[in-house]
Amino acid sequence: MKSNIPTKAEEWLAKVSAPEKTKGRFKLFLGYAPGVGKTYAMLSEGIRRSGYGEHVVIGIIETHGRKGIAELANQLEAVPRRKIEYRGTIFEEMDVDAIIARRPQIVLLDELAHTNIPGSKHRKRYEDVQEILGAKIDVISTMNIQHLESIAPTVHAITGITVRETVPDWVALMANETVMVDLTPEALQNRLRRGVVYSPDKVDQALKNFFRGGNLNALRELALRQVAEQVDRSLESYMESKEIDENWAVRERLAVCISSNPAAQYLIARAARMARRLDAHFYVIYVDAGMDETAERRKSLAANLQFAENLGAEIIQTRGRSIADVVANVVREKHITQVIFGRSAVRGLHRLFYLSAVHRFLRAAPTVDVHIVTHGEETAAGKK
């Protein structure tokens, strides 16, 4: 019977055949509010992977007085923090140089959006992460959705709270893996009342402010959408790398093709309503075929595109002689699942040309649903 234990030769072959690691892998536990369990999940993974034989260290963990977090943290090696004097007070920050010198396989770093004390090696903790990843050490970190730079203004509008520590969006996008640590708002509020998140004297104030049910539902949706977008990008990258041309309708992607004609605004509005009902990513495609050179047409086109942006569309402007072929290429590249073409109420030769263009698109495009929306010029321009 053959042994499943690898021989020394097999181990050597595995090492030399594996691609050389150029940088560490970055895993991010994302939450929508304090107390959902990000740090607990990160520490639990660190303990599990340490049990598999991987060298895991704690770079920095903030327990915030939570007993369960402290108990988990005590099960792992922690790299001593660096002491920094600032304005007569001693602060402790993560010691990046000591972590790299220790050469672990994995380092756990809490609160990615943290701003370091002046005198630290880097201004922001995410810059510490970049250096550690560059040293070919894997990083596992945590962050709440409100600390994402593009989302912080929305969070302020919802909660009235100004988020002062943020990270650029590209930092979250560089994560090789993002895990949403989810908990229903009701369960989170119950944890708060039990004193798991904050001390009892802060609970009532927290429930009346940041931790109101409406706030938590809105923040949770923002976090879920962020993770869904990252999953969507990962799937698109995978399909491109594997040269998969057919559309995988995991999430609907709806596009409408427009011209400079003011009638296009009717199509855009119709498509926007469909996209909302389907929860689809919404595109507006304009192909410049050299027929919109006059000032009047350019002005009308600009109005159409602005209208589309106002309705949340992603605008795709491109050029080409054959509109059907160009749109087919866009559908393939963006993995669009549904396309809307407009047709004014015309007859005769114009109708034949239109049908010919649609047939040409269907021959050139991958599998896609096509909607033909017919409208009269009066309806399209909008009755007063």
Side-chain angles (χ1 to χ4, degrees):
M1 181 182 293
K2 184 178 177 180
S3 172
N4 290 326
I5 301 173
T7 65
K8 291 292 184 183
E10 287 172 332
E11 290 176 354
W12 179 82
L13 284 172
K15 288 180 180 178
V16 298
S17 61
E20 184 181 354
K21 190 174 184 179
T22 58
K23 64 181 296 186
R25 287 183 59 81
F26 180 32
K27 182 170 183 174
L28 180 63
F29 282 100
L30 181 70
Y32 69 88
V36 295
K38 303 177 302 299
T39 304
Y40 192 94
M42 178 178 65
L43 286 167
S44 296
E45 174 157 341
I47 291 168
R48 183 171 62 253
R49 293 175 68 170
S50 177
Y52 295 153
E54 296 180 82
H55 184 191
V56 182
V57 302
I58 293 174
I60 192 161
I61 293 291
E62 302 295 348
T63 67
H64 298 291
R66 297 168 192 166
K67 183 180 177 182
I69 299 297
E71 289 174 350
L72 289 181
N74 287 336
Q75 299 179 46
L76 292 168
E77 173 192 350
V79 176
R81 300 184 187 190
R82 180 185 174 196
K83 290 180 171 57
I84 300 173
E85 183 179 350
Y86 178 65
R87 294 183 177 178
T89 303
I90 300 297
F91 296 88
E92 291 187 344
E93 289 286 9
M94 182 173 66
D95 194 332
V96 178
D97 292 333
I99 290 170
I100 293 174
R102 189 73 182 83
R103 302 304 304 172
Q105 291 173 277
I106 304 163
V107 59
L108 310 183
L109 310 177
D110 215 1
E111 299 185 359
L112 182 64
H114 174 76
T115 301
N116 294 329
I117 290 295
S120 301
K121 189 171 187 180
H122 300 294
R123 189 179 71 87
K124 297 287 289 187
R125 186 163 291 166
Y126 70 79
E127 295 172 320
D128 297 333
V129 168
Q130 286 182 285
E131 182 174 350
I132 293 168
L133 291 172
K136 304 180 184 180
I137 298 168
D138 294 348
V139 172
I140 304 177
S141 191
T142 66
M143 186 180 76
N144 280 327
I145 191 65
Q146 63 263 32
H147 295 290
L148 200 60
E149 198 167 62
S150 66
I151 290 178
T154 303
V155 173
H156 175 73
I158 293 168
T159 66
I161 294 172
T162 300
V163 180
R164 304 196 182 281
E165 292 189 313
T166 62
V167 300
D169 287 33
W170 61 262
V171 174
L173 293 177
M174 76 178 185
N176 302 98
E177 185 180 356
T178 301
V179 178
M180 170 78 175
V181 182
D182 196 20
L183 192 68
T184 66
E186 295 77 12
L188 179 55
Q189 289 174 328
N190 287 335
R191 296 188 73 185
L192 199 68
R193 293 186 185 98
R194 294 198 305 270
V196 176
V197 182
Y198 295 141
S199 58
D201 59 302
K202 297 180 180 179
V203 171
D204 286 341
Q205 184 180 1
L207 287 170
K208 292 176 183 177
N209 292 286
F210 187 85
F211 286 83
R212 294 197 305 268
N215 287 356
L216 297 180
N217 276 309
L219 292 168
R220 187 187 188 202
E221 181 169 350
L222 287 172
L224 288 167
R225 286 185 180 274
Q226 175 68 20
V227 174
E229 287 174 8
Q230 290 187 237
V231 171
D232 203 39
R233 280 190 289 268
S234 296
L235 177 60
E236 188 170 333
S237 298
Y238 173 81
M239 294 176 74
E240 288 175 359
S241 68
K242 300 298 182 182
E243 299 182 349
I244 299 171
D245 288 335
E246 65 266 24
N247 290 334
W248 291 359
V250 176
R251 185 190 179 193
E252 296 290 349
R253 293 167 174 243
L254 186 145
V256 60
C257 303
I258 69 164
S259 67
S260 62
N261 193 317
Q265 293 194 20
Y266 172 83
L267 296 175
I268 295 167
R270 179 83 175 269
R273 289 194 298 271
M274 290 179 62
R276 283 196 297 270
R277 286 197 299 269
L278 296 168
D279 192 27
H281 196 103
F282 178 33
Y283 299 90
V284 167
I285 304 172
Y286 168 73
V287 180
D288 185 354
M291 296 184 291
D292 293 317
E293 301 301 324
T294 67
E296 183 180 358
R297 287 198 171 190
R298 284 293 173 190
K299 182 179 179 181
S300 178
L301 174 63
N304 290 345
L305 295 177
Q306 183 60 57
F307 181 70
E309 284 188 1
N310 293 344
L311 294 183
E314 179 178 334
I315 309 297
I316 299 175
Q317 295 191 69
T318 185
R319 300 177 65 90
R321 296 186 63 183
S322 170
I323 293 176
D325 290 341
V326 173
V327 173
N329 286 334
V330 172
V331 167
R332 183 176 293 104
E333 291 171 4
K334 295 294 184 179
H335 305 292
I336 289 166
T337 60
Q338 301 194 41
V339 179
I340 297 175
F341 293 105
R343 180 169 70 91
S344 57
V346 296
R347 300 180 182 277
L349 194 59
H350 288 292
R351 183 178 183 184
L352 291 176
F353 281 138
Y354 176 83
L355 293 174
S356 175
V358 171
H359 289 155
R360 179 166 182 161
F361 167 79
L362 291 172
R363 287 195 301 270
T367 303
V368 62
D369 293 341
V370 176
H371 305 269
I372 307 296
V373 176
T374 303
H375 53 78
E377 292 298 323
E378 185 182 30
T379 302
K383 288 185 177 180
K384 297 292 184 182

